[in-house]
Amino acid sequence: MEKEISQAVIRRMPRYYRYLGELLDDGVERISSNDLSNRMCVTASQIRQDLNNFGGFGQQGYGYNVKYLHDEIGKILGLDQTHNIIVIGAGNLGQALANYVKFERLGFRIIALFDVNPALQGMTVRGIKVHMLDELDDFCKENQVDIAALTMPKEKASITASHLVDLGIHAIWNFAHVDLELSQQDVVVENVHLSDSLMQLSYNIVKNQKQK
Ligand code: NAI
């Protein structure tokens, strides 16, 4: 059986991937674990421990081969596959996601948006069509959809998510401010709450003010 990797480790992987990508762009071919640790402000032992979960990738006295490590972490994160995304709710946030080109470089392709507002029918965002919600079932039958992003009001998020699961979509990227409760084991949900991050920032602002 494959060893279960902790979510804490998985959450650190994208950051490794990003730093290694920047090193690659700068033409760096290899890096010692100390240099990587200084750049990333994490201890070398943390990096070693994290990577050892996947068999380790460094060599004593050599450090890490940047391209190899970048590619391997990419594979761990499933970035060697293309993921087709549909966006449910073509308002401000849905359109902003569709307008962001760089997701495609990571293999995430937004292939359609859906909305209930007839005023949006026929509109495109960066060439991606906005469909009406009643076209969702047929669209999912005719196209490979891997991920659904929910950028719609929270009141309808839960029922929409259940419907998406019934349509065979097993990954939900949830922006609606609600904790989705989906009982199916094989359904994965990633909640994104920008306001949580802002509240954390606010806490630190207040903390600094108190220390002055
Ligand atoms: P918006 O009002 O611009 O867009 C919402 C869109 O959803 C509208 O076009 C509306 O017609 C559509 N819609 C309504 N019911 C629908 C349904 N049943 N199916 C499909 N589409 C439907 O709102 P905005 O600013 O784009 O925000 C969208 C959602 O994302 C809200 O729930 C908001 O609270 C949330 N949000 C979350 C953030 C986060 O960090 N998690 C950040 C910003 C917004």
Side-chain angles (χ1 to χ4, degrees):
M1 208 176 88
E2 215 172 286
K3 188 178 144 207
E4 180 88 22
I5 313 287
S6 85
Q7 285 297 314
V9 174
I10 302 298
R11 288 205 182 271
R12 288 196 285 272
M13 287 293 135
R15 189 157 175 264
Y16 289 122
Y17 189 78
R18 191 156 44 81
Y19 271 77
L20 290 161
E22 281 166 15
L23 287 168
L24 268 186
D25 289 344
D26 293 345
V28 178
E29 287 175 15
R30 89 181 201 200
I31 189 161
S32 69
S33 66
N34 277 340
D35 282 352
L36 186 59
S37 109
N38 287 338
R39 268 186 178 245
M40 294 189 62
C41 298
V42 288
T43 63
S45 98
Q46 167 94 79
I47 296 176
R48 269 192 302 272
Q49 269 177 34
D50 283 346
L51 298 181
N52 276 342
N53 281 290
F54 306 98
F57 300 105
Q59 269 174 41
Q60 200 81 40
Y62 176 89
Y64 296 107
N65 177 312
V66 174
K67 175 152 182 11
Y68 177 71
L69 186 55
H70 183 260
D71 287 353
E72 289 303 309
I73 293 179
K75 281 186 215 158
I76 290 166
L77 292 171
L79 303 178
D80 53 340
Q81 303 170 19
T82 300
H83 300 277
N84 287 340
I85 305 181
I86 58 170
V87 174
I88 314 290
N92 289 311
L93 186 55
Q95 291 191 30
L97 292 181
N99 267 316
Y100 189 61
V101 184
K102 286 191 183 168
F103 292 138
E104 270 158 33
R105 287 199 210 146
L106 296 172
F108 298 100
R109 281 177 58 216
I110 297 184
I111 56 169
L113 298 105
F114 290 85
D115 206 289
V116 288
N117 181 356
L120 299 178
Q121 185 154 26
M123 196 184 125
T124 58
V125 181
R126 201 168 54 84
I128 307 163
K129 191 171 162 193
V130 179
H131 299 257
M132 289 295 96
L133 196 64
D134 58 13
E135 297 167 50
L136 180 67
D137 294 24
D138 285 345
F139 186 93
C140 292
K141 277 180 207 138
E142 287 157 18
N143 296 275
Q144 168 73 35
V145 179
D146 304 301
I147 301 172
L150 301 187
T151 52
M152 34 148 358
K154 68 173 184 183
E155 292 74 22
K156 287 284 167 67
S158 183
I159 194 162
T160 304
S162 300
H163 185 58
L164 289 160
V165 171
D166 290 343
L167 290 171
I169 299 168
H170 289 203
I172 310 279
W173 195 23
N174 176 40
F175 289 82
H177 293 299
V178 60
D179 290 326
L180 291 176
E181 282 180 27
L182 297 165
S183 52
Q184 296 87 341
Q185 290 264 318
D186 58 343
V187 176
V188 287
V189 179
E190 184 65 28
N191 296 298
V192 184
H193 296 306
L194 298 180
S195 46
D196 288 7
S197 151
L198 264 183
M199 284 187 254
Q200 222 169 308
L201 187 63
S202 156
Y203 169 83
N204 286 318
I205 292 171
V206 174
K207 196 174 90 181
N208 275 352
Q209 285 166 346
K210 281 184 187 154
Q211 280 168 356
K212 271 186 193 157

